[in-house]
Amino acid sequence: QVRLVESGGGLVQAGGALRLSCAVSGSIFSINTMGWYRQAPGKQRELVARITSGGSTLYADSVKARFTISRDNAKNTVSLQMNSLKPEDTAVYYCNRVPEWVQGGRLYWGQGTQVTVSS
């Protein structure tokens, strides 16, 4: 069974920075493309950054040049460095495989980590 544990969220002022981390267990982490998703209140969850097993990255336009995704295959972790944060970045952030893991016939998500950016 896969387990995802996100951490590092918090309250920050606009223009500030946060670094999110995600620990992954129960899967062959190194072969999977991993991503960071976010869900703002009243909105659908969206994929904001992804990184392949080889380290290639792709970002949503809304976070390009501000966010950096990275991974450590030896530690089974994926991170998201978020700089120049904006109030519209406020959301619960989740890590997951791209595409998302399915367990018991349902999409599996960790508990996420809340990011709140004040103006």
Side-chain angles (χ1 to χ4, degrees), residues 5-10 18 20 35-48 67 80 82 87-96 109-117:
V5 180
E6 300 94 344
S7 61
L18 284 173
L20 308 183
W36 280 96
Y37 301 73
R38 69 184 180 187
Q39 187 167 21
K43 295 188 177 181
Q44 288 191 327
R45 192 156 10 205
E46 62 171 340
L47 176 64
V48 297
F67 290 10
L80 187 69
M82 306 186 296
E88 51 263 44
D89 295 318
T90 295
V92 180
Y93 284 72
Y94 304 84
C95 71
N96 209 324
W109 294 95
Q111 83 288 350
T113 187
Q114 175 72 48
V115 171
T116 303
V117 184

Side-chain angles (χ1 to χ4, degrees), residues 49-119:
R50 69 176 74 183
I51 183 167
T52 67
S53 58
S56 297
T57 58
L58 190 65
Y59 299 92
D61 288 344
S62 58
V63 307
K64 202 172 292 183
R66 299 188 299 120
F67 290 10
T68 302
I69 189 171
S70 60
R71 66 190 297 161
D72 186 334
N73 288 337
K75 296 182 179 179
N76 283 12
T77 59
V78 59
S79 299
L80 187 69
Q81 177 66 43
M82 306 186 296
N83 298 329
S84 303
L85 283 161
K86 304 175 180 181
E88 51 263 44
D89 295 318
T90 295
V92 180
Y93 284 72
Y94 304 84
C95 71
N96 209 324
R97 189 184 63 176
V98 181
E100 303 96 317
W101 269 297
V102 175
Q103 291 187 159
R106 300 174 61 180
L107 294 178
Y108 169 74
W109 294 95
Q111 83 288 350
T113 187
Q114 175 72 48
V115 171
T116 303
V117 184
S118 63
S119 58

